[in-house]
Amino acid sequence: MENRVRNSKSEPGGKGPFAVLSRWLKLEGVLDDTLPARFTPYALFITVMGIIYIGNRHFSDRTIRKIDNMEAEVEDLRADFTTLKSEYMFASKQSEVARKVKKVGLQETRIPPYKIVVKEDEYKRRID
């Protein structure tokens, strides 16, 4: 006595989707018990190529995401640089420097700078 449950949908003569697919592809003679050895290299090749394709796709998606993140970061840093440069240029103006050092007690000189001129022959005599 055999304890096998009969399912009409899973048998080749049944009406299930796999039975219809099996009848349509007519694979009963080709794939009786196992995959024939002559198809094994092709199946392995297709499997390896599929895995490589999927891996390459994931790698490229990850790289594109990294590039997008870095472009956004560069744009933020560029904006920060422009802002800091503008603040530095404003803070280094003579009027701003004079206003800041007035708190320390320093004052701007009212006398213009003068140039010290040394004649070359006097300089040579002092060195010798």
Side-chain angles (χ1 to χ4, degrees), residues 4-96:
R4 223 172 138 205
V5 177
R6 300 190 88 191
N7 188 353
S8 62
K9 291 183 181 179
S10 65
E11 293 181 9
K15 297 180 182 179
F18 294 113
V20 172
L21 184 65
S22 177
R23 279 194 307 260
W24 184 71
L25 292 176
K26 298 179 184 173
L27 296 175
E28 291 88 22
V30 177
L31 301 173
D32 284 338
D33 291 330
T34 61
L35 187 66
R38 64 186 174 141
F39 293 132
T40 305
Y42 300 115
L44 288 175
F45 177 73
I46 289 173
T47 304
V48 169
M49 291 305 290
I51 291 170
I52 290 172
Y53 177 76
I54 292 169
N56 189 31
R57 181 64 186 202
H58 284 297
F59 176 75
S60 66
D61 286 345
R62 186 173 355 124
T63 304
I64 288 171
R65 271 187 260 116
K66 282 182 183 179
I67 289 171
D68 289 342
N69 289 340
M70 293 215 180
E71 284 178 350
E73 186 177 348
V74 164
E75 200 58 40
D76 289 343
L77 291 174
R78 183 176 291 131
D80 291 344
F81 169 75
T82 304
T83 303
L84 290 173
K85 183 178 177 183
S86 169
E87 290 173 1
Y88 174 72
M89 293 299 285
F90 179 75
S92 64
K93 290 186 347 185
Q94 182 182 356
S95 59
E96 286 299 311

Side-chain angles (χ1 to χ4, degrees), residues 97-108:
V97 172
R99 186 177 60 82
K100 287 181 181 178
V101 297
K102 194 176 270 190
K103 296 175 188 174
V104 183
L106 297 176
Q107 295 178 359
E108 275 189 88

